[in-house]
Amino acid sequence: MSAFTDRLREIRSAPTGKKIGAFFDYDGTLIEGFSAVAITRARVRSMEFGLGELGDFLLIGLRGVKSEQDYAEVLEATKPTFAGKTYAEMLEFGEHLFTHETAAQLRPQMWQILRAHREMGHRIVIASSATRFQIEPIAQAIEADHALATDVEVVDGIVTGKFLGRPLWGPGKAAAVRALAREHDVDLDASFAYSDGNEDIPYLESVGHPAAVSPRHGLRAEAEARGWPILDLRNPSYNRVAMAARTGAFYGSFIGSAALGFVGGLVRRDPNVLVESAIPTGNDVGLALAGVGVDVLDGEEYLTSDRPCVFVFNHQSKLDLPVIIHLVRRDATGVAKKEVKRVPVLGQILDAAGLVFIDRADAGKAIEQLQPAVQKLRDEGVSLVVAPEGTRSSTPRIAPFKKGPFHIAMQAGVPVVPIVLRNTGELMWRGSQLIKPGTVEVKVLPPVDTSDWRPETAGEHAEEVRQMFLTALADWPVESFEDGRMTRSMKGRP
Amino acid sequence: MSDHADQPLDWANEPHMSPVDALMWRGDTDRRLRGTISMLEIYDCVPDWDRLIAAHEWGSRMAPRFRQRVVDSPFGTGTPSWAVDPDFDLHYHVRRIRLAGDGSYRELLSMCEQLAMTALDPARPPWEGTLIEGLPDGKAAYFLKAHHALTDGLGAILGLAQLHSTSRDPIPGKPQPPNPDPVNISALDVLGRQFGEELQRLPHRVDTAFRGVLALTRPRRALSEALRYGRSVPRVAGLVTAPGSPLLAERSVSWRFTAFEVPFEDLKAAGKAARASVNDVYLAGLIGGFRFYHDKLGQPVEAIPVAIPISVRRPEDPAGGNRIAVGRMAGPVGIADPFERVLTIREQVRAARTEPAVDIFNTLGSVLAWLPGQVLAQFSGATTMNDLQASNVPGIPWDTYVAGAKVERMFPFGPLPGCAVMATMITHNGIACLGVNQDGASITDVDLFSDCLVEGFNEVLALGAETRADAMSGSLRRVV
């Protein structure tokens, strides 16, 4: 049994509620690598980086960061990055970097741990030595209760470049954790903490259940000496060239076969040819070439039993669409925002495939906008596939559901069939252009009857279905591979 | 009695100074860097004078280092030799005085300050012992002063533990090594020996150079090792350090002693409560004292430069001499919470200990020792930036006696090599004895500073109340 599964068990046997804290270090723990690298890269790209600043960084690099004082100097050196900017601007910058770069570095296994803590109702806290605006976006994305970060001075909305109080480095972070515990009555002895860094020993020991996550050398020795669990996690790392080749093959096969079917459809004046045969076939070949397998763990029968219906799925990855096509195969179409229609090639294929395009911008006519979709269901008997989160989430979190898909099902008088995808995000994170080989795990939940729904309560029904997703994902028994590859279900394993 | 039993102690018997010892010895070139270490022992009664003299005579046969003088090379470079002084005269080294005033402990410490500030005669074995009578309740004191080049604190305790008796009455049948043979060597002999050593090192240096060339075949590893070491050196050498407190900026040659004691158990309880070592608690108490002192004089600071000795003594090392490296910290004077202070100090000590270059002065010493004293004084000028130097030496954990008198307390006093305050703690039989030497120009109000130290310690010791069954915290007591 791996330390990882032991840990999940430990979390599930802990008391529930906000009195229990789950403290997460960010850089190197929740994500692989350092978020500051992305910041520096962005600044070098934008040519904002001065030579002096570069020199400071090199000097610090030579000397190394060994103490709180050293870290204070690092902060001092990063000052030009944000001094004089507005706080809102910096938050936006952090947000942008998170969704486009660092989110792809999230460790999937840590996400499992995070989810286990949330299920237990624990108080989720990010404790990072980084500055506040670097941490706020991730804190929001994982719905953390608190974000502990090194605070910067803001005067009239402008960041001055000064730091407030003690930097959250080493013992400074431990102090901040204890202060938070005092303020919110958190039972530290029953709480959990995670970190990878040598300097975080005092922070880890301030709780009763510390864990070293892929620890660096010094922390590893200390964790071994103290008997702390060591979670060795590595994001799957693959040969990028091979990944690019697989991804290329996937798109090539998908688009190539779609083009064939498209032409065939035109000739036969029957667009369904595309959807019925060409796309699923090309799609399956593409998935196989990309090394992606699809494993339906539960409820495969519901994919066909109650058609027509509205299939709803949780959207994490560009990979979701091919996976859904693979599952639903025939007599179905999707709903997409109008903008997708304008994407070259793909837009035309989807249009030809009979996709229903909805204008999201016009909120006032939301219900009328749904009419074409309702007609498809009622009149043509074609099922609909919708991602009720509206957009891909940047983390495996399930975002709030939009009401649209549920209105459609209600008006058409068809059931809603939830398709729960677990790990497409691990194989192709948002922001990532490359597909990693692996197996996508799917659970199809029993159809949800909509016959007694009322339009006024659509929001509640949307939330009910969302809860089904949360429960399904929470009950998913996962473990991580010893060699750090993708997590997968324990099904059929000892 | 066999010949074997009459061997002298295996203590401080290497014939030459180590490079670090030599650095200490040469430090005397600058009167501010004088390296006199002292130990004040309090006896429960006045020891028998004749027995005391006999004990010294015996002790100097057991540990011949006490009969050896330093012979330096003509240019004061390289490592000096130790040689048994043909003119060794115990009459110079052991003295007896009586306090002339009220016989108070304050008067005793004033006497000790004066004795400690007086330079040792470099032409003789560098130590002096003084029996001080006239204390209240029939007690007596013994003040031993020696040059730091003779030994470090741990070495001193290792020696004293073997020379002090375990009983009040004389123990018959002790080993009786013969008088060591006098050694007549000249400065030129020392120079010859030094050149010989350098020649012997040559093959090693060639080997090092050869390995250096070999390392170039794996440049990445060589570079990362060099960088790791290289970036550690400035920290160890004190080039990267907190700025000194403006309040303590002055330095002089005036030494002022104060002494404190606290039950060792109380320190341990506080350490347990803060998940830290006794040494961390000790440092946190001292730094808490600095905090109160700065606050009371209205000049608060965030951090002060602190140096701690890090023992690099290995089991196979010879028992005498200096086997210490310097660890540097930015003493967190700005942290008000005693628990946070202890923990922060613990992490700083951990970082200092794991510095790759921690042993640099021992490593580089063979080269440094070739520099003349004045140059070395400049080089070691880094130490003058420290506001506090603090060491903590384990003591003798059993009852000890000297010439019929029981040793009640052992207060150590370190030198002031350019620092404002030197604190040394020795735990003698369950009581932690703290000797503080402060520069009269840096600490302008010694009494206030002492009160602050007590306050600082007690704040930290109070942490221990949580982990104790009696829920009582210990306290530091000012003895003098």
Side-chain angles (χ1 to χ4, degrees), chain B residues 297-375:
Chain B
L297 293 180
Q299 294 200 46
V301 290
E302 275 304 305
I304 55 167
V306 177
I308 52 169
I310 291 173
S311 180
V312 289
R313 198 177 276 282
R314 289 175 305 231
E316 67 270 23
D317 283 334
N322 285 280
R323 294 298 307 155
I324 46 175
V326 184
R328 282 170 205 284
M329 312 165 29
V333 175
I335 299 179
D337 184 76
F339 181 86
E340 301 299 346
R341 201 187 308 138
V342 176
L343 230 56
T344 303
I345 286 165
R346 189 193 74 187
E347 291 311 305
Q348 291 185 340
V349 173
R350 188 201 307 279
R353 275 190 212 286
T354 53
E355 283 287 357
V358 69
D359 207 8
I360 185 158
F361 288 109
N362 293 303
T363 316
L364 275 189
S366 67
V367 180
L368 288 182
W370 278 97
L371 301 171
Q374 289 90 338
V375 178

Side-chain angles (χ1 to χ4, degrees), chain A residues 124-377:
Chain A
I124 312 277
V125 183
I126 295 202
S128 168
S129 52
T131 42
R132 167 95 30 214
F133 52 78
Q134 277 167 276
I135 292 311
E136 275 306 332
I138 168 82
Q140 280 167 17
I142 69 167
E143 291 165 0
D145 296 283
H146 308 275
L148 298 174
T150 300
D151 270 306
V152 291
E153 189 184 60
V154 181
V155 174
D156 298 334
I158 306 281
V159 182
T160 62
K162 275 213 203 97
F163 294 93
L164 297 174
R166 226 174 146 180
L168 260 71
W169 198 94
K173 186 190 280 186
V177 164
R178 278 189 293 273
L180 181 111
R182 271 195 301 275
E183 195 182 329
H184 295 277
D185 194 25
V186 173
D187 180 358
L188 282 180
D189 286 337
S191 291
F192 297 77
Y194 303 85
S195 177
D196 69 310
N198 298 344
E199 74 283 2
D200 271 338
I201 293 162
Y203 147 81
L204 285 175
E205 72 176 6
S206 55
V207 301
H209 303 276
V213 177
S214 297
R216 278 178 274 145
H217 188 72
L219 177 59
R220 183 178 296 274
E222 196 71 23
E224 277 167 3
R226 299 194 188 206
W228 291 347
I230 297 175
L231 310 177
D232 274 310
L233 315 174
R234 274 183 296 119
N235 267 6
S237 67
Y238 300 101
N239 183 328
R240 290 184 71 85
V241 176
M243 269 165 59
R246 285 166 182 283
T247 310
F250 165 74
Y251 279 123
S253 173
F254 178 63
I255 290 173
S257 60
L260 263 180
F262 185 41
V263 175
L266 282 182
V267 171
R268 283 194 262 157
R269 310 222 166 243
D270 178 5
N272 280 346
V273 172
L274 178 71
V275 193
E276 299 305 302
S277 61
I279 290 188
T281 311
N283 184 57
D284 289 354
V285 172
L287 284 174
L289 285 177
V292 175
V294 180
D295 189 1
V296 182
L297 301 180
D298 242 338
E300 186 150 18
E301 65 271 24
Y302 304 130
L303 286 170
T304 48
S305 62
D306 286 66
R307 295 215 190 180
C309 61
V310 173
F311 291 107
V312 289
F313 69 98
N314 50 324
H315 201 6
Q316 296 174 13
S317 164
K318 284 181 201 161
L319 207 52
D320 293 342
L321 182 63
V323 168
I324 290 290
I325 292 173
H326 170 85
L327 292 170
V328 174
R329 302 202 80 87
R330 49 202 291 279
D331 293 328
T333 188
V335 177
K337 51 184 175 185
K338 209 177 64 183
E339 288 77 13
V340 175
K341 203 173 177 175
R342 289 201 294 268
V343 177
V345 188
L346 186 70
Q348 275 123 30
I349 294 172
L350 295 178
D351 192 24
L355 211 74
V356 183
F357 293 97
I358 291 180
D359 185 1
R360 281 249 196 80
D362 197 349
K365 286 193 269 174
I367 303 289
E368 290 94 289
Q369 290 282 347
L370 301 176
Q371 279 315 307
V374 174
Q375 274 163 18
K376 279 253 177 199
L377 278 160

Side-chain angles (χ1 to χ4, degrees), chain B residues 262-265 396-397 427-432:
Chain B
V262 57
F264 186 64
E265 282 306 312
I396 307 171
T427 301
H428 179 68
N429 212 5
I431 301 289

Side-chain angles (χ1 to χ4, degrees), chain B residues 125-470:
Chain B
W127 67 275
E128 290 164 20
T130 308
L131 178 68
I132 305 167
E133 296 178 31
L135 258 63
D137 307 326
K139 292 188 183 186
Y142 174 80
F143 188 71
L144 178 66
K145 92 191 227 216
H147 200 278
H148 210 325
L150 196 87
T151 180
D152 61 21
L154 189 52
I157 291 298
L158 290 173
L160 285 179
Q162 296 174 84
L163 294 175
H164 279 23
S165 177
T166 51
S167 113
R168 201 181 281 274
D169 300 316
I171 299 175
K174 281 190 291 192
Q176 297 296 341
N179 282 344
D181 292 330
V183 179
N184 278 301
I185 57 168
S186 68
L188 273 176
D189 295 333
V190 171
L191 196 62
R193 189 260 305 164
Q194 290 172 345
F195 277 122
E197 278 176 1
E198 289 306 309
L199 277 177
Q200 278 180 352
R201 279 201 195 102
L202 258 184
H204 174 70
R205 293 214 167 127
V206 169
D207 182 50
T208 308
F210 182 66
R211 277 189 292 128
V213 172
L214 264 189
L216 291 180
T217 59
R218 299 178 68 184
R220 258 183 90 153
R221 189 170 158 191
L223 184 67
S224 83
E225 273 174 18
L227 278 180
R228 218 169 77 80
Y229 194 81
R231 65 193 186 186
S232 173
V233 170
R235 284 194 293 260
V236 170
L239 302 176
V240 184
T241 180
S245 157
L247 189 60
L248 312 173
E250 293 296 322
R251 297 289 187 273
S252 68
V253 289
S254 303
W255 292 7
R256 296 290 179 268
F257 289 176
T258 44
F260 306 84
E261 62 182 38
V262 57
F264 186 64
E265 282 306 312
D266 295 339
L267 285 172
K268 254 173 53 179
K272 198 174 160 208
R275 302 186 203 96
S277 70
V278 163
N279 190 54
D280 301 329
V281 169
Y282 160 67
L283 289 171
L286 289 171
I287 288 166
F290 275 83
R291 173 182 175 78
F292 284 117
Y293 187 68
H294 280 81
D295 281 356
K296 284 184 181 159
L297 293 180
Q299 294 200 46
V301 290
E302 275 304 305
I304 55 167
V306 177
I308 52 169
I310 291 173
S311 180
V312 289
R313 198 177 276 282
R314 289 175 305 231
E316 67 270 23
D317 283 334
N322 285 280
R323 294 298 307 155
I324 46 175
V326 184
R328 282 170 205 284
M329 312 165 29
V333 175
I335 299 179
D337 184 76
F339 181 86
E340 301 299 346
R341 201 187 308 138
V342 176
L343 230 56
T344 303
I345 286 165
R346 189 193 74 187
E347 291 311 305
Q348 291 185 340
V349 173
R350 188 201 307 279
R353 275 190 212 286
T354 53
E355 283 287 357
V358 69
D359 207 8
I360 185 158
F361 288 109
N362 293 303
T363 316
L364 275 189
S366 67
V367 180
L368 288 182
W370 278 97
L371 301 171
Q374 289 90 338
V375 178
L376 270 183
Q378 287 302 312
F379 207 92
S380 61
T383 60
T384 63
M385 295 188 297
N386 293 317
D387 285 340
L388 169 65
Q389 270 180 252
S391 48
N392 171 24
V393 181
I396 307 171
W398 56 78
D399 280 340
T400 54
Y401 300 86
V402 174
K406 185 180 176 188
V407 181
E408 290 190 330
R409 298 283 186 272
M410 274 187 177
F411 292 105
F413 294 97
L416 287 177
C419 58
V421 176
M422 165 70 82
T424 315
M425 189 170 80
I426 280 184
T427 301
H428 179 68
N429 212 5
I431 301 289
C433 303
L434 172 60
V436 179
N437 183 3
Q438 48 235 304
D439 190 316
S442 313
I443 303 292
T444 47
D445 190 339
V446 171
D447 281 328
L448 176 67
F449 185 68
S450 296
D451 294 345
C452 290
L453 281 184
V454 169
E455 209 175 329
F457 262 86
N458 291 351
E459 196 182 48
V460 174
L461 289 168
L463 296 171
E466 300 166 20
T467 59
R468 292 161 66 114
D470 52 8

